[in-house]
Amino acid sequence: MRLALTTAFEIVEKENIFQKTPCPAFLMFENAAYLADMSFELPCHCKPEEVPAVVWFYQKHLGSSHTKVLTDFDGRVLTEAAQVRVGSDMLTRFSIRMFSLLVFRAQPEDSGLYFCGTRKGDYFYAYDVDIQNSEGMVATFQDEGQEPFADEYYGHLHVFTTFWEWTPCDRCGVRGEQWRIGLCYLQSPDLSPRYLKAVPDVVSCGSRAVPRKLQTKARHHTPELLVRSCVVPCEKTKTIREGVLAIINYVSKVGSRPWVPQVSIQFHQQRLGHGLIISCPGARPEHAVAWDKDRQHLYRTQYLKGVNRSMRVFIDHGNQLHIRFTQLDDRGIYYCWRQGVRVAGFRLGVTSRGRYPASLSDPETRSAVELTLIGYLFITAVFVTIHLCRCCCYLFQTLLQS
């Protein structure tokens, strides 16, 4: 089961850049790299002023005969981030606003070339987008003396990690953590000249500017996550909602001191033995997100996905909290921090009663079905192999007797 609250992707109003930015005479591709599940914006940096709307196109490879139209021919496709889930169809994860293309929860298969143009197929600006998979991401903990990957050299090819800025501390008033995402980049003089590069001869490892033979050498250089501890004070804020204040006043009149939650709390009852995924409201993979259970801090050094293969409770690289095979001691309040501020609470109750309808959308149900099918296939293979061996032995004996 997945529980999530999200907010709409925010776009800041921009000045009219089209009067200042002429379109290039020869179409070039601007390289951009992101981590899987991130949401990002691709601005159409130039277009003729007489063009009232733009249309965005997608190609997997340059010159491909299959081109997808990502917006309608009036340039109006609006998608809210709250409606987008992991695994959603490609065309449901795009939106166009103010001539910019918004991509929600991008996946590695979304890597490719994006064109800003007209309904007639005239292109003004283009991007070479590389979405790097987070499945093989390696976490490095500075407090434990660990070091990031060393650069790799293969003749004139230089493969390395480019790190983003450190996130803010994910908690305040107590020890927290901050991290920075590192994506795979390479430097080579053999790159295609048609792709724009912020640094000469440097692009992301999955760029279409990289020849296939170089991509093979850089394939094993996975994204990295660098984590370190931090401590920051909390900003003093004193805001009490009117509804909560009315309850406080009423309870105070009868002589008892009420417990006032510092953040809004949701309630959920979960069936014993089933899995649960909790998402932090408004959080994206690039945000600093932390989780607490009651007064216990769930630090990434212990709970990050991949730290221990047998983990039942873990935090994935998209900042979601996973609880596999819920147990009775999982009951409690789970607090979510975003950008150093505690923003939400989640009270979890666990029950062994009630009917829980099986659904293929449940990861545990899918795992059970897969294991059952694998077991049947294995038994069938053994059965067929035994009978084939018996048939071969029988034929061999027949030939010897004849």
Side-chain angles (χ1 to χ4, degrees):
M1 180 175 292
R2 182 185 301 275
L3 299 174
L5 288 174
T6 56
T7 58
F9 197 95
E10 297 181 359
I11 295 297
V12 180
E13 295 292 335
K14 302 177 178 63
E15 62 177 339
N16 187 2
I17 62 172
F18 305 117
Q19 296 178 352
K20 303 178 181 179
T21 308
C23 292
F26 187 71
L27 189 66
M28 304 284 286
F29 297 91
E30 180 179 341
N31 179 235
Y34 302 95
L35 191 66
D37 285 331
M38 284 187 173
S39 300
F40 55 88
E41 174 189 2
L42 300 178
C44 187
H45 282 305
C46 75
K47 75 171 185 65
E49 290 190 57
E50 62 271 15
V51 177
V54 299
V55 178
W56 282 87
F57 302 88
Y58 167 80
Q59 285 185 1
K60 191 68 176 178
H61 302 283
L62 183 61
S64 173
S65 58
H66 183 62
T67 301
K68 286 187 178 181
V69 181
L70 301 180
T71 61
D72 66 9
F73 287 111
D74 289 325
R76 294 192 305 268
V77 168
L78 298 181
T79 302
E80 295 298 332
Q83 302 172 358
V84 179
R85 297 290 181 266
V86 175
S88 299
D89 181 73
M90 179 181 185
L91 295 179
T92 65
R93 290 186 284 103
F94 293 88
S95 176
I96 180 171
R97 299 177 189 177
M98 295 295 293
F99 309 112
S100 296
L101 181 70
L102 307 184
V103 184
F104 301 106
R105 303 194 72 100
Q107 299 302 307
E109 55 268 22
D110 297 333
S111 299
L113 305 176
Y114 292 80
F115 302 85
C116 169
T118 66
R119 60 190 304 173
K120 296 180 180 179
D122 298 325
Y123 299 146
F124 310 132
Y125 205 83
Y127 288 90
D128 165 35
V129 177
D130 173 23
I131 309 299
Q132 301 190 10
N133 201 331
S134 61
E135 287 299 321
M137 177 181 282
V138 177
T140 302
F141 302 102
Q142 279 194 347
D143 296 347
E144 298 179 3
Q146 299 177 0
E147 296 291 337
F149 285 151
D151 293 1
E152 302 174 39
Y153 294 89
Y154 305 94
H156 295 292
L157 175 63
H158 176 201
V159 184
F160 58 94
T161 300
T162 296
F163 285 95
W164 293 16
E165 295 292 331
W166 287 100
T167 65
C169 197
D170 60 5
R171 294 177 177 87
C172 69
V174 296
R175 184 178 76 85
E177 294 174 326
Q178 59 181 164
W179 57 90
R180 59 198 306 191
I181 295 172
L183 299 179
C184 177
Y185 277 77
L186 59 80
Q187 183 177 28
S188 173
D190 299 326
L191 303 178
S192 172
R194 195 171 179 182
Y195 294 80
L196 296 174
K197 311 166 187 69
V199 179
D201 296 332
V202 173
V203 293
S204 61
C205 293
S207 168
R208 272 38 183 184
V210 182
R212 188 179 300 273
K213 61 179 181 179
L214 298 185
Q215 284 188 349
T216 303
K217 294 181 179 180
R219 183 179 302 167
H220 302 293
H221 197 99
T222 59
E224 297 183 65
L225 187 69
L226 199 57
V227 184
R228 69 182 183 187
S229 298
C230 57
V231 178
V232 296
C234 294
E235 296 182 2
K236 294 183 179 180
T237 57
K238 189 175 182 180
T239 57
I240 302 179
R241 290 169 295 175
E242 295 182 359
V244 176
L245 186 61
I247 297 175
I248 294 175
N249 292 335
Y250 174 79
V251 177
S252 298
K253 290 179 181 179
V254 298
S256 61
R257 186 177 180 180
W259 171 74
V260 182
Q262 297 180 349
V263 294
S264 60
I265 295 181
Q266 300 182 23
F267 299 87
H268 178 72
Q269 195 86 349
Q270 181 68 7
R271 177 86 183 274
L272 182 68
H274 288 264
L276 182 67
I277 302 175
I278 311 175
S279 297
C280 188
R284 297 199 294 271
E286 62 269 29
H287 284 168
V289 176
W291 292 94
D292 297 340
K293 180 190 176 185
D294 296 324
R295 296 185 179 181
Q296 177 188 2
H297 306 304
L298 307 181
Y299 290 112
R300 276 174 164 75
T301 49
Q302 296 175 322
Y303 289 93
L304 184 66
K305 179 181 179 180
V307 172
N308 188 340
R309 293 185 178 181
S310 61
M311 297 173 69
R312 191 181 59 83
V313 179
F314 61 89
I315 302 170
D316 66 17
H317 296 298
N319 297 323
Q320 299 179 115
L321 180 66
H322 293 244
I323 303 176
R324 302 180 66 237
F325 310 112
T326 309
Q327 299 179 358
L328 291 176
D329 57 1
D330 291 326
R331 291 178 293 192
I333 301 179
Y334 293 83
Y335 293 102
C336 163
W337 298 73
R338 188 184 71 231
Q339 301 293 84
V341 179
R342 186 184 288 183
V343 294
F346 185 87
R347 182 186 290 274
L348 177 64
V350 180
T351 178
S352 58
R353 298 179 180 179
R355 298 181 60 186
Y356 191 93
S359 172
L360 289 178
S361 61
D362 184 10
E364 277 69 31
T365 303
R366 288 200 303 268
S367 299
V369 172
E370 290 174 0
L371 290 174
T372 303
L373 291 175
I374 291 173
Y376 276 116
L377 290 174
F378 177 76
I379 293 172
T380 303
V382 172
F383 178 80
V384 171
T385 302
I386 292 174
H387 279 271
L388 285 174
C389 292
R390 293 182 63 183
C391 289
C392 291
C393 291
Y394 176 77
L395 290 173
F396 184 72
Q397 290 177 357
T398 304
L399 290 173
L400 289 178
Q401 292 175 359
S402 61

